[in-house]
């Protein structure tokens, strides 16, 4: 077990073990002391035999998420981990059930409960992960009743008059460029990734996406999809503002989401999400 020190002074090691599918799975352990690293890594190695051979749904779910960790974005993995924690806590019996013993009735009962206790989109995310786990374990996902939930989320899309008033009030504040770009269809992470060097005149190249990584770190990624890597023409005054600031938003994506509704409330505007500006753009 090779243990090294990070720039921050912590100790770290990587454990690589071969799974039953013949593939290697790696896991990094980072702690303040060598003792903590050795203990965590040893515990992982000891339990790995169960991890690789167990057919329990919960263990199959852990293997799937581990295998996706280097492929999917940190935010997607965080979402998976959140769903995983809830399933292990609230549906422990289901997670202990061997995946090849899960019947359509068992699945339908779980899905019915999820649809009653959670919003429609959240329930669909749970069902999507469950389906991925079943497929990865070579277990056929049975045909289920997943009718569209009537409690659909309706975004508070601002109308043109509200957008104009907000933009006028926001002029000269740190939110001016960010709000303008949101109304042109940019996502929050894309706005945080806009810098002056992405401009050619008034043409903006949207190619960077700033996301929150594991442990609260800020990571730079490409846009969410290939089609999202695009060139758009923006108003000259916004282009000049970005050049003078060096970027569209000086801060983290989380800070942008916190500051924006606070500005709306303090100025007497109806509160809506920054992402709702994308719906305004689409409409």
């Amino acid at each position: 077990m090779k243990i090294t020190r990070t720039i921050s002074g912590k100790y770290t090691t990587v454990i690589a073990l071969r799974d039953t599918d013949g593939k290697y799975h790696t896991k990094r352990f980072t702690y303040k002391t060598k003792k903590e690293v050795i203990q965590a890594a040893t515990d992982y190695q000891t339990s790995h035999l169960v991890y690789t051979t167990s057919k329990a749904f919960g263990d199959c779910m852990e293997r799937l998420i581990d295998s996706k960790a280097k492929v999917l974005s940190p935010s997607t993995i965080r979402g998976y981990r959140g769903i995983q924690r809830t399933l292990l806590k609230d549906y422990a019996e289901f997670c202990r059930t061997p995946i090849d013993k899960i019947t359509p009735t068992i699945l339908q009962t779980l899905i019915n409960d999820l649809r009653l206790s959670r919003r429609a989109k959240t329930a669909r995310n749970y069902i999507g992960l469950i389906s991925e786990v079943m497929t990865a374990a070579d277990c056929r996902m049975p045909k289920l009743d997943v009718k569209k939930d009537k409690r659909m989320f309706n975004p508070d899309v601002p109308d043109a008059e509200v957008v104009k008033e907000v933009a006028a009030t926001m002029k000269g504040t740190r939110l001016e460029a960010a709000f303008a770009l949101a109304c042109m269809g940019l996502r929050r992470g894309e706005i945080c990734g806009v810098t002056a060097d992405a401009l050619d005149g008034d043409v903006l190249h949207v190619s960077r996406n700033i996301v929150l990584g594991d442990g609260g770190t800020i990571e730079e990624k490409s846009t969410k999809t290939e089609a999202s890597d695009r060139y758009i023409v923006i108003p000259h005054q916004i282009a000049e503002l970005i050049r003078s600031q060096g970027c569209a938003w000086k801060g983290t994506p989380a800070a942008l989401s916190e500051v924006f509704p606070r500005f709306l409330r303090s100025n007497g505007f109806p509160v809506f999400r920054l992402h709702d500006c994308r719906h305004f753009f689409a409409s």
Side-chain angles (χ1 to χ4, degrees):
M1 184 188 302
K2 182 179 179 181
I3 299 175
T4 58
R5 296 196 73 173
T6 64
I7 297 176
S8 63
K10 293 183 179 180
Y11 293 89
T12 186
T13 189
V14 175
I15 298 298
L17 296 174
R18 189 187 294 274
D19 204 340
T20 51
D21 57 8
K23 297 179 180 179
Y24 275 101
H25 296 267
T26 62
K27 193 171 183 69
R28 179 177 291 278
F29 300 90
T30 304
Y31 292 94
K32 290 183 179 180
T33 66
K34 276 187 180 181
K35 185 178 179 180
E36 290 176 297
V37 171
I38 293 172
Q39 184 63 54
T42 302
D43 289 344
Y44 175 73
Q45 289 174 307
T46 302
S47 63
H48 193 74
L49 181 61
V50 174
Y51 164 82
T52 57
T53 59
S54 172
K55 288 188 176 181
F57 179 87
D59 291 323
C60 293
M61 176 167 55
E62 174 69 18
R63 289 199 292 273
L64 173 75
I65 297 175
D66 275 357
S67 69
K68 298 277 188 180
K70 291 186 178 180
V71 180
L72 301 178
S73 70
S75 58
T76 301
I77 295 299
R78 280 200 308 277
Y80 279 177
R81 291 297 184 192
I83 293 173
Q84 179 188 34
R85 286 192 296 271
T86 301
L87 289 176
L88 290 172
K89 178 184 176 183
D90 298 343
Y91 303 94
E93 185 176 349
F94 174 80
C95 291
R96 287 193 296 267
T97 304
I99 199 164
D100 54 355
K101 302 296 182 185
I102 294 177
T103 64
T105 301
I106 292 174
L107 268 178
Q108 188 66 66
T109 301
L110 173 66
I111 287 172
N112 289 344
D113 188 73
L114 288 171
R115 291 176 62 214
L116 287 172
S117 59
R118 286 160 179 81
R119 288 169 57 174
K121 183 177 179 180
T122 304
R124 287 197 299 273
N125 290 341
Y126 276 73
I127 296 167
L129 179 57
I130 291 170
S131 177
E132 278 198 68
V133 175
M134 297 287 288
T135 302
D138 293 326
C139 293
R140 186 177 179 182
M141 187 75 172
K143 187 175 181 180
L144 302 168
D145 175 16
V146 286
K147 294 178 181 177
K148 194 172 183 180
D149 199 310
K150 293 182 179 179
R151 299 172 299 145
M152 291 295 290
F153 171 67
N154 293 313
D156 296 319
V157 182
D159 58 33
E161 290 303 316
V162 170
V163 168
K164 287 178 182 178
E165 290 179 17
V166 172
T169 307
M170 201 171 276
K171 194 170 181 62
T173 71
R174 61 186 295 211
L175 284 164
E176 182 179 359
F179 179 67
L181 294 179
C183 292
M184 295 174 209
L186 271 70
R187 299 178 176 88
R188 183 186 68 167
E190 293 172 344
I191 293 170
C192 295
V194 170
T195 54
D197 58 7
L199 285 165
D200 182 4
D202 294 340
V203 177
L204 174 66
H205 182 196
V206 182
S207 62
R208 300 170 68 234
N209 186 32
I210 303 300
V211 299
L212 184 65
D214 293 333
T217 59
I218 301 298
E219 299 182 8
E220 179 183 334
K221 300 284 185 179
S222 57
T223 50
K224 190 172 184 179
T225 64
E226 286 188 19
S228 297
D229 189 319
R230 60 203 187 274
Y231 292 86
I232 62 172
V233 178
I234 64 176
H236 179 70
Q237 64 269 25
I238 298 299
E240 289 301 307
L241 177 59
I242 293 172
R243 286 193 182 91
S244 66
Q245 296 179 163
C247 61
W249 170 253
K250 294 181 179 179
T252 64
L256 180 54
S257 291
E258 291 174 5
V259 172
F260 180 69
R262 192 185 308 152
F263 175 89
L264 295 178
R265 281 192 293 269
S266 63
N267 287 277
F269 292 110
V271 177
F272 52 90
R273 304 172 307 162
L274 187 71
H275 191 79
D276 292 329
C277 298
R278 275 175 53 83
H279 297 297
F280 163 78
F281 171 76
S283 63

